[in-house]
Amino acid sequence: MPNPMPVRTLFVSDVHLGTRDCQAELLARLLRHVRPERLYLVGDIVDLIAMRKRAVLPPAQQRLVARLLRLARSGCEIIYIPGNHDAAFRRLCGLKVHRVRIEHRMVHATADGRRLLISHGDEFDTHVRMAPWMMALGDGMHQFVLALNRWCNRGRRLLGMPYWSLAAALKRRSGAAQRYVAQFEQAALHQAAREGLDGYVGGHIHKAGFRARDGVLYCNDGDWVEHCTALMEAPNGRLQLIDWRGEVIAREPAMANGLKSGEAVPDAVGAATRSA
């Protein structure tokens, strides 16, 4: 196997360790392809909520945790920003545990001098207008689709086919899901602009992508139960979305590339998923 590709920063969120939907093997495969100087774990890394009902921690997930701890020991700076599913860890903010720094939020400086707000993103839920009954129904449907996703990919593995996300494909066709994502993105962009920052990086909504508005950049690194994507900062400071194979599937937009205010970058992540 070739030497891992050096990257300045890697952003990973929504791994949901402790559940059957966690794609630990694919994330471990990515970590064999890249060698980050700094790794942000942007929330919902461990699903403490799901583990109250049933904890699932198979060998692949245990190996992933061990790999992350080895990264920390080898000199990679790891910063854990808890999300809503691992919110209990927020009481540890400001501490280091096994060389992993735990913080509520961060401002990250890129190699090209930009300042990006880093948070999980669940704080923007109050800005997204959706009736409680719709949220509950959506969560139930999501769990059902994830179960179908497991069976679908079990069959694909038997046929020697790569991972493919049924859940992501269905969400792309849902108008309600698209409206939810758009409102979330607007809230995150507004917060970064209000703080005088150049952009925002988060997770939470399981929808990787970029959006540019009024000189502010929104980045979502995706998740590791559906899309299996991460956000990577190259040594020159440019941001790219990569998949579990380490392949670039989307690049950040140039702010002067003609994007209108609030216009989203074409859904390269979706295109990559459809072609798998």
Side-chain angles (χ1 to χ4, degrees):
M1 183 175 180
N3 292 329
M5 175 178 61
V7 301
R8 188 171 187 266
T9 315
L10 189 68
F11 303 84
V12 170
S13 73
D14 297 273
V15 180
H16 292 275
L17 286 164
T19 71
R20 290 183 296 172
D21 299 305
C22 171
Q23 300 294 331
E25 291 182 2
L26 297 184
L27 179 52
R29 178 171 173 175
L30 174 63
L31 293 175
R32 291 194 292 270
H33 284 292
V34 300
R35 187 177 69 247
E37 297 175 12
R38 175 180 291 178
L39 171 62
Y40 284 98
L41 301 174
V42 196
D44 286 3
I45 303 303
V46 180
D47 197 328
L48 298 177
I49 293 177
M51 291 175 73
R52 292 173 191 164
K53 300 177 182 178
R54 181 184 180 187
V56 178
L57 204 66
Q61 295 188 30
Q62 297 174 38
R63 289 193 296 269
L64 175 60
V65 173
R67 176 173 287 274
L68 290 171
L69 293 177
R70 284 198 303 272
L71 271 176
R73 290 195 299 270
S74 69
C76 175
E77 181 183 7
I78 299 183
I79 301 170
Y80 192 142
I81 299 174
N84 53 307
H85 282 254
D86 47 13
F89 294 152
R90 286 174 174 163
R91 68 187 68 176
L92 302 176
C93 286
L95 302 177
K96 270 192 174 183
V97 179
H98 293 289
R99 303 189 185 184
V100 176
R101 178 178 166 192
I102 304 175
E103 299 288 349
H104 182 68
R105 71 207 295 266
M106 290 287 292
V107 174
H108 173 73
T110 62
D112 54 6
R114 292 176 293 170
R115 298 169 67 237
L116 308 175
L117 172 63
I118 316 296
S119 76
H120 178 62
D122 57 298
E123 67 269 30
F124 301 127
D125 280 348
T126 56
H127 300 275
V128 179
R129 296 181 179 86
M130 186 173 289
W133 67 269
M134 289 187 66
M135 294 285 284
L137 178 62
D139 184 64
M141 288 296 295
H142 185 233
Q143 294 303 316
F144 174 70
V145 171
L146 286 178
L148 292 178
N149 195 68
R150 287 196 299 271
W151 284 100
C152 174
N153 279 287
R154 193 170 299 171
R156 288 175 66 87
R157 283 194 300 272
L158 291 174
L159 296 173
M161 300 172 69
Y163 174 82
W164 176 78
S165 176
L166 171 65
L170 292 176
K171 284 204 289 188
R172 285 196 302 273
R173 290 164 173 78
S174 167
Q178 296 301 320
R179 287 190 295 273
Y180 174 86
V181 168
Q183 291 175 21
F184 180 90
E185 292 172 347
Q186 293 293 339
L189 281 164
H190 175 77
Q191 184 62 33
R194 192 176 70 84
E195 296 187 27
L197 300 172
D198 299 296
Y200 172 82
V201 177
H204 186 52
I205 60 172
H206 294 205
K207 180 66 171 68
F210 295 110
R211 180 178 289 270
R213 188 188 73 183
D214 300 329
V216 180
L217 178 66
Y218 166 90
C219 316
N220 194 297
D221 57 28
D223 64 274
W224 290 89
V225 297
E226 298 175 61
H227 300 89
C228 298
T229 60
L231 181 70
M232 178 184 76
E233 180 193 359
N236 64 359
R238 303 304 291 174
L239 300 169
Q240 303 169 334
L241 281 168
I242 57 176
D243 66 10
W244 52 274
R245 293 164 291 199
E247 297 179 1
V248 176
I249 53 177
R251 291 178 170 84
E252 67 166 296
M255 290 303 182
N257 68 352
L259 285 177
K260 298 178 182 178
S261 176
E263 185 176 348
V265 178
D267 189 4
V269 177
T273 303
R274 288 190 291 274
S275 65

